Structures are given as C-alpha cells and as structure tokens.
Amino acid sequence: MPIVTFLPGFRKVEVSTSDSLMTAAQKAGLAINAVCGGVGKCGKCVMFHKSGRIRFDTERFREFFSQEERDAGAILSCEAYPEDDCQIMVPERTLIQTQQILMNVMGQETLLNPSIRKYYVQVQPPTLATPTSDLYRLLDAISNLDGPTSKQVYVPLEILRVIPSMLRDSGWKVTATIARLPAGFRMIEIEKGDTSSQLYGAAVDLGTTTVVAFLRDLNTGQVIGVGSAYNKQISCGEDILSRVNYSKRKGLVRLQELAVDSINAAITMAANNAGVDRDDICEVVIAGNTIMTHMLLAIDPSYMIEEPYVPVVRRSLTASAGRVGLSIKPEGSVFIFPAVSDFIGGDIVADIVASGMAESPDISLLIDIGTNFEVVLGNNEWMFACAGAAGPALEGGEVLFGMRANPGAIEKVSIDPITLDLKCETINGKKPVGICGSGLIDVLAELLRSCVIDRTGRINTTISHPRIRQGEYFPEFVLAWKDETGIGKDIVVTENDIKNLIMSKASTLAACIILMNQAGITREDIKNLYFAGGFGNYINKDNAITVGLIPEVPVDRIINLGNGAAEGANIALINRKMRKFVDDIAYRIGYVELNAEPTFMDEYTKGTFLPHTDLTLFPMVEKSLELCRLRVEAK
C-alpha cells in the first residue's frame, strides 16, 4: 500500500489507494479544514502534490485555484487519491487552527440549589444492643442533616461493597455524595473523612465547532475555571448533515467517541485552570443541538434528516458519567437539555433560559446563526420557533477567501463611501489570510452604502477604481493586496461570494418574518432581539440590519447573549429547579416546519434583495440608500 508523507512535518502514514489524501491526513493526525465534509464543494482542504503518483481531476476543480496554484500542484485532498508513495505539502491555512471561541456568559443571577450535595457524617458504630445495618446507620446519619430519608436513596452495588470497610477504616467519619435525580436520590460516592468542600460541577456547551466547559464550585456557585476545545467531529464533516451521513456509514461509534473526547478536553482544561481534580467533579450539564446530543449518547440521528424529521427523544435525559464516557467521577450525573424538534435543540432551550424571555411578558425575538439558523419568537405566554439551513457562507464556507474566526481572519471592515479607502481589523492583529462571518456582513453593508453593489448584489464594474476589477470568473472587490496579506495573494470578495451571502441572509430574515406573521405581530412589537452564539456576538448590529439579516428594530433593543447555551447550562447546573422549567419550555414552543410552510419561498425570494424588496420594512436603511443614490447622481 502507498505511504503518504505529509510536509512540512514529514508525517508518514500507510493507506489504501481507495483512501483520499484527506483520509490519509486524518490518519496521520492532521486536523483538516473540511467545511463541506469532504465532498469537494468548499475548496478549503487544499494541499500541494510534490512527488509520486496521485489521481486528481484538476480541470474539474480548477475554479478553486489560481493558475499559479495549479502550476504548483494544488489539489483538493478530499478528491485526490494516492497510487504509490507520494509527498504532499499541507499549507497552514488548510489545518484547523485555534478559533476565536466565545466563552463569556452574562452571569445571570439564580438561586443556588444544586442537585448534588455532600454530607459529612459521624456514624454511630453498631453494638450488640443496637445491631442495625451499616447502610441504615449511614443513611440515618444523612437524614439527620436534613438529607433525604433512607427509603428515598438508591445505593448502587459498587458503593454497597465498599461501605463496611470505608466506615471502619475512617473511624466512622465519612462523606457521602448524593445526587437528586428525576426518580429520586442516588448515592454516587462515599469517601473517608470530610471532603464536603470539594464539590464541583461542569456546564458544557456542546457546539458543532467548539466545546466550552465552565467549572463551578457547587458549594458557592462560583465559576472557578473555564476550558474550551474544538469539536473533534469536524474531522468527519464541518456541518451537521455531513456528520449524520458519516454516522450512516457505520461511523456513529466514532462520532460518539470524538464528542466525548472533545468534552473531556474542555473539562480537563477547566479543571487544570482551577487546580481541581476531575474525580471531584460530580455532575455535568450539557446543552447541545438535537443531533449533537443524540451522537453524544450514540443514539441513531439519521431519521432526523428524513421526512417526517423525527428525533428519537426530545425530553431531558440523565445518565451516569461512566456510561457516557466522561472523565469525571464515574458515578457522577450527566444532565442533557431537552429538545423541541430535530433542529431546535437543547442549545436553543438554554439560550431561551439565558435570555429570560420565557419569564417576561415582553415579546422577544431570539436568533442563533451558524451553518444552520434557529429563530424563536415569543414571551412567557407563547412561543414559536423554526430552523433552517443558512448555508455555510456566513461562517466562511462557499466564499472564496472565507474562513472561520481564526487568527488572521478579517473580522471588521469599513469603507469610505467616496474614496473607497478601506480599513480592516483582523483577529489577533495578524496579517489577513481570509475573512470570517462578521467581516463578511461588514463588507456587504459597506459595499451597499458605497454604491459598489446594487440591491441585487451586482458589482458596478463601471466604477473606475483599482479595488474593483474583473476576476477570472466573476467581478470582484479587493479587500487586501497581496503584499499586505499573510498568504501572498490578493484577498477579494467576488460577485458570486456576495450572491451566496445574500442567499444565506435571506433564509434567516424569511424565517423571522414567517414567525412574526404566525404570531400576528410587526417589527414594532419586538421589545428585545437577542443574538446568541459567536457569530451574533461579534457582528455589527447596524450592518446586520442594513443587509437585511434581521428585521429593522432600534439598535438599543438588540442584545448579545454571549454564549447563551453555556449560560443556560450554568443556570441549570446550580439550580436544579430550572431543570423542570427547561422541559416546560421545550414542550411549550410551537414548532413551525419551514419546509411545509407555503409562504417560505415567497418570503425567501423577497429577502434576496438588500435588505428586502419592501423597503418600508427598513425605513432607516431606505434613507441610507437614498443618500447613496443622490451621491451617484451628483457624480
């Protein structure tokens, strides 16, 4: 079998001729940027063929490369196969790099009432006069400290086996850890002496791209450590659909392992930052989308992408950490947020908890945008929700120089409407290597205000300016010249990129309008608009309105939740009563299936203009566009 050597690190791996070079790279331990899941659509897994024989159709994928790159042996690793020993150069931009991970939460106050408690007890030894059992004496001592009664507590066999020696070796002074579960109480550990001060829990946001863990002291409620990690499932596909298809190819066990590894990595970082032993972590609360939590538990998610789009389970779930594979106390408890539907999962329920909209009479609109979007509209009396595919453009996919929020990504852009002088800010202040979602929204809005593009997204090539030019395939606007970049070539946004961005934003706006129509309200009725997730946290609010990503509401009503999923998980971690509330929220929401909504395509089509065909819905944007028109006429 061929041996593939990956440069510059000289990693070698033996593979079959039927394995793609992407598969070979993953086997060699390289984290490849596989936005489309390795099906040749995104052009992000670029490598360079240096020696040996491979199979690759350059002409079929020529649109992804410049002539200079084609001359240098550029290939898409997902579509290239080794025929004998070969050497392949992997550029830095093809590897998954450290991302700008959203770790901040709002810190909403809530009652400290955890589901896990430790009881330090001094048990009375038995005598001939009082020969009651060891277990009864232990549980009676716990009950005397306002703990549950002996009849309420289930004690697993593994703990029963150690109770007699533990009591006697400790001089009858022990600490018992009790978990409150939906069906009652469970003893999860017994330890010598007083360890009651060592009681910790973790709140986890299980995202499609990243995993964030907050470690809390359950005696005080304080956050004592934060950790994050990439979701290692990225190696099996960037988006949810790719991963479900991977699971259908007998990959579910692998996806489950990768999800567990990712959570363990984030929890380990948080524990190390806090100086806490992971064995002292007694509980983990996890918020993730419906498919992610199914994969975490190795529950088949495949029927959620087929009509009638039904998940296996919607309600909240509990399990022991050992059964899931989490590296905390083996008998520790795992609580997983409930889902509303196939694509409205526990992460969105957690967002709702974090926003407080389910407890307020004010009408709020909550939006979480990634490759997929989720929208929730309502208050403490009613809620509607929907979800759909925004497409990868807003996360940098299907955009020529699009990328994740990694160092060197252009994240902020401003353009002088007269001179077209441009200012960019990049993540970590590095030379630009691409542009991420927040930067793309800025570009779209700034080009519209500067009259470089019209409301359909067409670039005005009659404008005489060096930044506006005809590219190899499409008209394009230069964001950074090659001597300014970290990749040695001009970074541009093309007319095709703009088209993909408009299609993505149109889906989200259409969903918002459909829910508003369903509820019989207008944009004036919306008192709060919550942006959840990383994309919404970094986006320019004015620009989001200008391009028609969201309805036009006063900017001071737009609130960034930060990491709402983590915030909601934190609330449920330290206040067990919220766990019943999250189930109530999930079952209260009326889900609107956009695929079955007859007006969706009509609303989507209206949204494929900037900001919308009906400018009366965007009066402030209309004024801005009128200034643009007058400026053009004055020339």
Side-chain angles (χ1 to χ4, degrees):
M1 292 195 297
I3 294 176
V4 181
T5 302
F6 290 101
L7 307 175
F10 287 92
R11 295 196 188 191
K12 298 178 183 290
V13 62
E14 188 176 34
V15 294
S16 164
T17 56
S18 62
D19 285 330
S20 69
L21 289 176
M22 174 184 283
T23 300
Q26 291 168 346
K27 288 181 178 179
L30 297 173
I32 303 301
N33 194 5
V35 173
C36 65
V39 294
K41 290 184 176 180
C42 69
K44 304 300 183 186
C45 63
V46 178
M47 297 183 186
F48 292 89
H49 175 215
K50 293 302 180 183
S51 67
R53 291 189 305 128
I54 67 169
R55 303 191 310 278
F56 178 69
D57 188 346
T58 301
E59 285 303 309
R60 180 183 169 195
F61 300 102
R62 65 179 289 117
E63 67 182 279
F64 293 117
F65 314 115
S66 66
Q67 185 59 53
E68 183 181 0
E69 288 173 322
R70 289 195 290 268
D71 292 342
I75 58 172
L76 293 185
S77 62
C78 65
E79 294 291 336
Y81 299 84
E83 293 199 330
D84 58 20
D85 295 355
C86 57
Q87 288 191 335
I88 305 295
M89 173 65 72
V90 184
E92 185 178 359
R93 71 178 187 271
T94 298
L95 299 172
I96 295 171
Q97 302 170 35
T98 303
Q99 186 172 0
Q100 183 167 276
I101 297 175
L102 183 60
M103 300 173 70
N104 64 301
V105 294
M106 296 172 67
Q108 183 177 323
E109 290 188 8
T110 189
L111 177 69
L112 178 60
N113 184 21
S115 67
I116 306 284
R117 283 194 61 185
K118 280 191 169 187
Y119 298 88
Y120 170 62
V121 292
Q122 299 185 39
V123 180
Q124 290 297 317
T127 65
L128 287 174
T130 56
T132 50
S133 68
D134 289 347
L135 178 61
Y136 177 82
R137 289 174 177 277
L138 172 62
L139 295 178
D140 188 54
I142 292 170
S143 178
N144 290 337
L145 291 178
D146 293 325
T149 65
S150 59
K151 292 182 179 179
Q152 293 176 305
V153 181
Y154 169 72
V155 182
L157 178 60
E158 293 77 12
I159 293 179
L160 280 173
R161 288 170 175 164
V162 302
I163 284 176
S165 59
M166 185 74 69
L167 288 173
R168 288 162 179 82
D169 292 346
S170 65
W172 301 88
K173 297 176 181 179
V174 296
T175 299
T177 305
I178 307 289
R180 174 117 191 207
L181 303 175
F185 295 86
R186 179 187 179 97
M187 186 179 295
I188 62 175
E189 190 173 39
I190 182 170
E191 302 166 280
K192 294 179 183 179
D194 185 0
T195 66
S196 57
S197 63
Q198 301 163 18
L199 181 62
Y200 308 104
V204 173
D205 167 24
L206 177 58
T208 309
T209 305
T210 56
V211 178
V212 181
F214 288 76
L215 187 65
R216 283 186 179 262
D217 184 328
L218 296 183
N219 286 311
T220 65
Q222 296 299 307
V223 174
I224 58 173
V226 183
S228 63
Y230 263 114
N231 188 325
K232 296 180 181 180
Q233 290 181 340
I234 287 175
S235 63
C236 303
E238 173 81 5
D239 60 89
I240 287 294
L241 182 59
S242 298
R243 295 183 201 177
V244 174
N245 287 329
Y246 183 90
S247 75
K248 292 168 76 172
R249 301 192 297 268
K250 299 183 179 179
L252 182 57
V253 171
R254 176 63 176 158
L255 287 164
Q256 197 270 343
E257 291 171 348
L258 292 172
V260 169
D261 287 349
S262 305
I263 294 173
N264 283 339
I267 290 176
T268 298
M269 180 186 289
N272 290 343
N273 290 339
V276 168
D277 191 323
R278 288 183 311 185
D279 287 341
D280 290 326
I281 301 174
C282 299
E283 183 170 41
V284 177
V285 172
I286 299 173
N289 69 52
T290 316
I291 288 177
M292 287 303 309
T293 52
H294 274 57
M295 288 178 177
L296 173 64
L297 300 175
I299 298 172
D300 185 1
S302 60
Y303 300 105
M304 279 185 276
I305 64 171
E306 301 172 4
E307 288 190 17
Y309 313 110
V310 177
V312 175
V313 59
R314 284 182 50 201
R315 68 186 184 187
S316 59
L317 297 171
T318 58
S320 67
R323 292 190 68 186
V324 177
L326 298 186
S327 297
I328 63 167
K329 198 180 297 295
E331 289 297 326
S333 177
V334 178
F335 176 87
I336 296 176
F337 265 66
V340 176
S341 67
D342 51 348
F343 287 114
I344 299 288
D347 52 344
I348 304 304
V349 176
D351 286 339
I352 293 169
V353 171
S355 71
M357 62 185 287
E359 302 164 82
S360 170
D362 291 338
I363 296 174
S364 297
L365 181 67
L366 185 149
I367 304 172
D368 194 324
I369 306 175
T371 303
N372 299 308
F373 64 80
E374 295 87 14
V375 181
V376 182
L377 177 70
N379 60 10
N380 59 354
E381 295 183 355
W382 56 269
M383 282 189 187
F384 293 109
C386 64
L394 294 175
E395 293 194 322
E398 295 185 359
V399 172
L400 186 59
F401 288 94
M403 63 181 292
R404 293 192 190 92
N406 293 333
I410 297 171
E411 61 174 343
K412 293 182 181 179
V413 177
S414 61
I415 300 174
D416 186 294
I418 306 298
T419 65
L420 300 188
D421 288 343
L422 182 144
K423 292 181 181 178
C424 293
E425 291 184 27
T426 64
I427 295 173
N428 292 357
K430 292 192 172 185
K431 280 190 171 185
V433 295
I435 182 166
C436 64
S438 60
L440 288 167
I441 292 297
D442 283 357
V443 168
L444 201 58
E446 292 289 298
L447 292 179
L448 181 64
R449 292 193 192 101
S450 303
C451 309
V452 173
I453 62 174
D454 62 20
R455 290 179 57 210
T456 68
R458 188 179 299 277
I459 293 176
N460 184 356
T461 54
T462 65
I463 298 174
S464 179
H465 194 281
R467 290 192 183 273
I468 300 171
R469 68 191 189 191
Q470 177 63 45
E472 186 174 1
Y473 298 101
F474 305 100
E476 58 192 32
F477 184 88
V478 180
L479 299 174
W481 303 105
K482 65 180 181 180
D483 58 350
E484 300 171 334
T485 73
I487 57 175
K489 57 182 178 179
D490 297 344
I491 294 176
V492 304
V493 59
T494 71
E495 199 168 86
N496 189 60
D497 295 337
I498 293 168
K499 170 188 161 187
N500 288 330
L501 287 166
I502 291 175
M503 290 168 63
S504 289
K505 75 89 184 174
S507 297
T508 306
L509 181 62
C512 294
I513 291 174
I514 282 173
L515 292 191
M516 290 160 62
N517 291 342
Q518 189 89 14
I521 67 166
T522 66
R523 61 185 181 84
E524 288 87 357
D525 297 313
I526 297 173
K527 302 303 180 186
N528 303 292
L529 192 155
Y530 295 101
F531 261 131
F535 178 81
N537 192 68
Y538 299 110
I539 198 172
N540 180 296
K541 299 172 184 177
D542 281 313
N543 289 344
I545 292 171
T546 296
V547 302
L549 175 67
I550 59 176
E552 184 174 292
V553 299
V555 173
D556 59 4
R557 296 184 187 180
I558 302 175
I559 303 162
N560 290 330
L561 278 182
N563 192 332
E567 172 85 16
N570 271 280
I571 292 170
L573 173 66
I574 63 174
N575 184 358
R576 64 178 176 80
K577 289 189 176 180
M578 289 299 296
R579 300 183 190 184
K580 183 179 184 304
F581 185 51
V582 299
D583 270 320
D584 292 342
I585 290 173
Y587 281 94
R588 183 198 311 174
I589 296 172
Y591 181 66
V592 177
E593 179 57 68
L594 293 180
N595 289 334
E597 176 55 50
T599 63
F600 177 72
M601 282 309 300
D602 185 42
E603 292 297 344
Y604 169 78
T605 302
K606 293 176 183 176
T608 56
F609 287 74
L610 295 172
H612 191 270
T613 54
D614 184 0
L615 284 178
T616 63
L617 299 177
F618 292 84
M620 294 305 295
V621 179
E622 185 176 21
K623 290 181 182 179
S624 175
L625 295 180
E626 178 64 14
L627 291 175
C628 173
R629 185 185 66 80
L630 293 174
R631 191 165 59 246
V632 170
E633 290 179 354
K635 291 182 180 180

